[in-house]
Amino acid sequence: MTLRLLQHRAADGTRSVIAASSHGDAFVLGVDSVRSLANKAIAMGTDLAGAVAACGFGEPVDIAAELAAGRLLAPIDHPDAAHLFMTGTGLTHLGSAEGRDKMHREAAAAEKQTDSMRIFLEGVEGGKPAAGEVGSQPEWFYKGNGFGLVGPGKPLTSPSFAKDGGEEPELAGIYLIGEDGTPFRLGVCLANEFSDHVTERHNYLWLAHSKLRQAALGPELLVGPLPMQIEGSSRIHRDGKVLWEKPFLSGEENMSHSFANLEAHHFKYEVFRQPGDVHVHFFGTATLSFSEGIKTEVGDEFEIEAAPFTLPLRNTLAQAAAPTFTIKAL
């Protein structure tokens, strides 16, 4: 049985958790968030499926209808947005170096291997270490905190100064840090690790700037073993028509790093093992419309779907007005 967890908010603001599987979809009794359910599982010494069974099931629900009605949230959040970290890794997928290398090639002499290609090849060589060994360190970046987390159906909003707002279809791992500092993986979600590729292309040292953007999560948290093979599609719709479409592959069989290696290099830092914190960690992609010359426009709709997730992730591109603020000395 493939278990998926969703977060729901009714019209009156009441929050609930939905458990979805091949046996049907129903509300979970007694919990109002996936984070609360995870804390219950940790306290009980069981897994999420065990916690769901212990809570019991309420009314059945049509998750596709709830998504269409705008009542499904991102499948993880935190009541204090500052305690949700969004981070990620790049150059982790077989084929992912091509687009990045193309962007950065002009910054290096023709006969010199780019830093992007070097770190990719290091991952190919040592990104899947044997048990007990330390694997190659991946590229790592910070995207922001829970303030930038966007749910299904909500706009992905570029800041006023952004040069581009482009999709990155991938998987994101979801983690909760236990009271003893143990990272607990709750599962994985479909994700759009939204980035500014024009800013990154200008100078690879601006990668950090380009990643400080919102990111979207699909409505379903896939619980259980990490997927070895994910085959999906990424699309951009404009004016009611498909502007661009391409398959995307993820899962460990399509990656140069193992999930375990990526997790180890993130959580080796003590700052990321603070009790109660939530982590959304993006695992990278090899599919970008930007690499194929697509320039997105405000109003474009990004769509990402892949089995065993049953619901798509859709978000429309928006752009924020220029902020007005003053820096004051005290």
Side-chain angles (χ1 to χ4, degrees):
M1 181 184 73
T2 300
L3 176 63
R4 305 176 315 280
L5 298 175
L6 305 89
Q7 295 197 131
H8 179 275
R9 182 165 54 207
D12 64 359
T14 302
R15 289 181 48 137
S16 306
V17 173
I18 298 170
S21 73
S22 56
H23 298 313
D25 311 333
F27 289 104
V28 180
L29 297 175
V31 288
D32 62 1
S33 70
V34 167
R35 181 174 170 272
S36 296
L37 180 67
N39 278 321
K40 186 181 289 287
I42 294 169
M44 293 172 59
T46 187
D47 57 13
L48 284 168
V52 167
C55 290
F57 297 97
E59 293 294 320
V61 58
D62 182 338
I63 58 174
E66 295 303 305
L67 177 63
R71 290 190 284 266
L72 295 184
L73 309 172
I76 193 67
D77 53 9
H78 196 290
D80 182 350
H83 284 278
L84 187 152
F85 291 80
M86 295 200 303
T87 57
T89 57
L91 299 169
T92 55
H93 283 61
L94 301 172
S96 62
E98 181 181 356
R100 182 77 69 84
D101 191 53
K102 189 184 300 181
M103 284 199 290
H104 298 168
R105 198 173 294 143
E106 294 179 1
E111 69 276 4
K112 182 181 177 183
Q113 201 173 71
T114 67
D115 287 341
S116 293
M117 187 57 72
R118 285 176 57 213
I119 199 169
F120 172 73
L121 292 176
E122 287 174 8
V124 171
E125 181 178 355
K128 294 182 175 179
E133 296 183 0
V134 177
S136 299
Q137 183 167 264
E139 177 194 38
W140 181 95
F141 56 83
Y142 174 70
K143 278 199 70 69
N145 59 24
F147 176 75
L149 181 64
V150 174
K154 304 301 181 184
L156 277 167
T157 304
S158 283
S160 59
F161 51 79
K163 304 298 184 185
D164 171 58
E167 87 299 331
E168 295 202 13
E170 50 195 271
L171 295 177
I174 309 300
Y175 305 85
L176 174 64
I177 310 303
E179 289 304 313
D180 63 353
T182 299
F184 289 89
R185 185 197 314 115
L186 310 188
V188 293
C189 300
L190 277 182
N192 188 338
E193 195 269 289
F194 183 62
S195 297
D196 185 340
H197 303 106
V198 172
T199 291
E200 179 191 350
R201 181 179 61 182
H202 177 79
N203 187 319
Y204 76 94
L205 295 177
W206 283 1
L207 172 72
H209 289 277
S210 76
K211 292 297 187 182
L212 285 172
R213 301 292 186 268
Q214 293 182 333
L217 295 181
E220 299 165 286
L221 175 70
L222 180 66
V223 175
L226 291 169
M228 296 300 292
Q229 174 78 3
I230 289 284
E231 297 184 33
S233 295
S234 179
R235 304 180 188 91
I236 299 175
H237 299 266
R238 180 177 295 169
D239 298 327
K241 299 178 181 179
V242 175
L243 172 71
W244 175 86
E245 179 176 13
K246 191 169 184 178
F248 82 94
L249 300 175
S250 193
E252 218 164 272
E253 289 182 1
N254 299 297
M255 296 170 64
S256 50
H257 288 262
S258 65
F259 287 118
N261 190 52
L262 300 179
E263 292 172 335
H265 281 294
H266 177 67
F267 289 110
K268 68 184 180 184
Y269 295 102
E270 188 176 3
V271 67
F272 296 147
R273 301 194 309 275
Q274 297 304 300
D277 284 352
V278 168
H279 289 256
V280 177
H281 195 59
F282 299 90
F283 289 126
T285 187
T287 304
L288 301 173
S289 64
F290 180 80
S291 298
E292 299 185 6
I294 298 296
K295 180 175 176 55
T296 58
E297 298 178 359
V298 169
D300 288 350
E301 182 187 62
F302 304 116
E303 180 182 40
I304 302 168
E305 60 180 357
F309 302 96
T310 65
L311 300 177
L313 171 60
R314 297 189 184 101
N315 303 92
T316 301
L317 176 60
Q319 187 155 32
T324 300
F325 62 92
T326 303
I327 300 169
K328 297 181 179 181
L330 290 178

